Amino acid sequence: MIRVLLADDHELLRSGVAGILESDADLEVVGEVEDGPSAVKAAQRLQPDVVLMDVQMPGGDGITATADVLAACPSTRVMVLTMFDLDEYVIGALRAGASGFLIKTTPAAELVVAVKACAAGDATFGPSIIDRLVESFVQRPGVVAIPAQMEGLTPRERDVLLSMAKGHSNAEIAAELYLAETTVKTHVARILCKLGLRDRVQAVVLAHQSGFAGTAPLQRGGSPGTA
């Protein structure tokens, strides 16, 4: 069972999201709060698997609360769910450690899938978020060099990182590269270890910020289930 905490100042929206999530047998809403500080306290008390966090809330914003939740509850993952996909919100949320960013117009079925993916360790982004990452990190001055650690990645790990940079889930990476999903999970873990990154969101940001996502070739091949 995936335990979810909702943080949003609109009671009606919380009720609607709770109803959507609890219609799935694998999801349980264990708490609802209306501001950032309350989200941090509830996360410490309830230890949810996922926090769905709004950005703009009276009494404490969701970006600060995201960082505080993750500092207090390292095993909890935070997905930002907001009405606005503004650049400062997207980048602020990812820098704070959020594992995903969706807008509130996301269809119900996609929200359920996204929460499950977040709990499983996937990064989940709405359709426009990868474009915003490119605009914010690649097209502005100060692009960093591709880290030397990337030279230690195998060709297949580079393929996986490129697919991650597109915002793909493990299942989507597996389909694109003709790999078993368990093999993809292994590659992702090795990539994070080799690059010294906390999670796949940092990997996505680094791939775009360094220009790796726009320069490295994608090598396909193999048959389903092969590494």
Side-chain angles (χ1 to χ4, degrees):
M1 182 70 69
I2 297 170
R3 305 171 76 251
V4 183
L5 171 66
L6 304 181
D8 195 292
D9 60 309
H10 292 97
E11 183 179 359
L12 274 178
L13 188 140
R14 291 200 312 269
S15 298
V17 171
I20 290 170
L21 298 182
E22 293 199 320
S23 67
D24 189 288
D26 295 329
L27 302 177
E28 177 188 8
V29 175
V30 295
E32 299 180 26
V33 296
E34 59 183 18
D35 58 52
S38 297
V40 178
K41 293 177 182 177
Q44 290 176 301
R45 185 178 75 255
L46 300 170
Q47 295 294 312
D49 300 300
V50 177
V51 178
L52 277 182
M53 183 82 73
D54 191 13
V55 173
Q56 292 185 320
M57 294 180 286
D61 70 280
I63 302 300
T64 300
T66 293
D68 291 344
V69 165
L70 296 174
C73 311
S75 62
T76 295
R77 302 180 68 82
V78 177
M79 176 180 293
V80 170
L81 182 65
T82 183
M83 188 62 71
F84 309 102
D85 61 345
L86 301 177
D87 285 355
E88 59 266 33
Y89 290 169
V90 175
I91 304 307
L94 299 184
R95 284 179 172 162
S99 297
F101 192 107
L102 294 176
I103 57 175
K104 292 177 180 177
T105 55
T106 299
E110 292 182 18
L111 177 61
V112 169
V113 171
V115 170
K116 290 183 177 182
C118 182
D122 280 349
T124 303
F125 305 100
S128 65
I129 304 307
I130 293 299
D131 288 340
R132 291 187 181 276
L133 283 175
V134 174
E135 291 170 3
S136 297
F137 284 110
V138 179
Q139 297 178 2
R140 71 183 183 185
V143 173
V144 302
I146 295 178
Q149 296 97 311
M150 284 192 179
E151 296 180 3
L153 298 181
T154 67
R156 182 54 80 194
E157 288 167 351
R158 292 170 67 90
D159 289 347
V160 171
L161 179 56
L162 284 171
S163 194
M164 288 169 61
K166 299 174 188 176
H168 289 172
S169 67
N170 285 348
E172 290 168 331
I173 295 172
E176 181 179 47
L177 300 178
Y178 304 104
L179 297 172
E181 191 169 347
T182 53
T183 302
V184 172
K185 291 180 180 179
T186 299
H187 284 314
V188 170
R190 289 174 178 169
I191 289 167
L192 298 181
C193 181
K194 288 182 178 181
L195 298 183
L197 301 175
R198 178 189 61 220
D199 56 34
R200 62 193 295 140
V201 172
Q202 288 189 337
V204 170
V205 171
L206 178 61
H208 285 287
Q209 186 178 26
S210 66
F212 172 81
T215 59
L218 178 64
Q219 299 180 13
R220 301 175 185 274
S223 57
T226 62

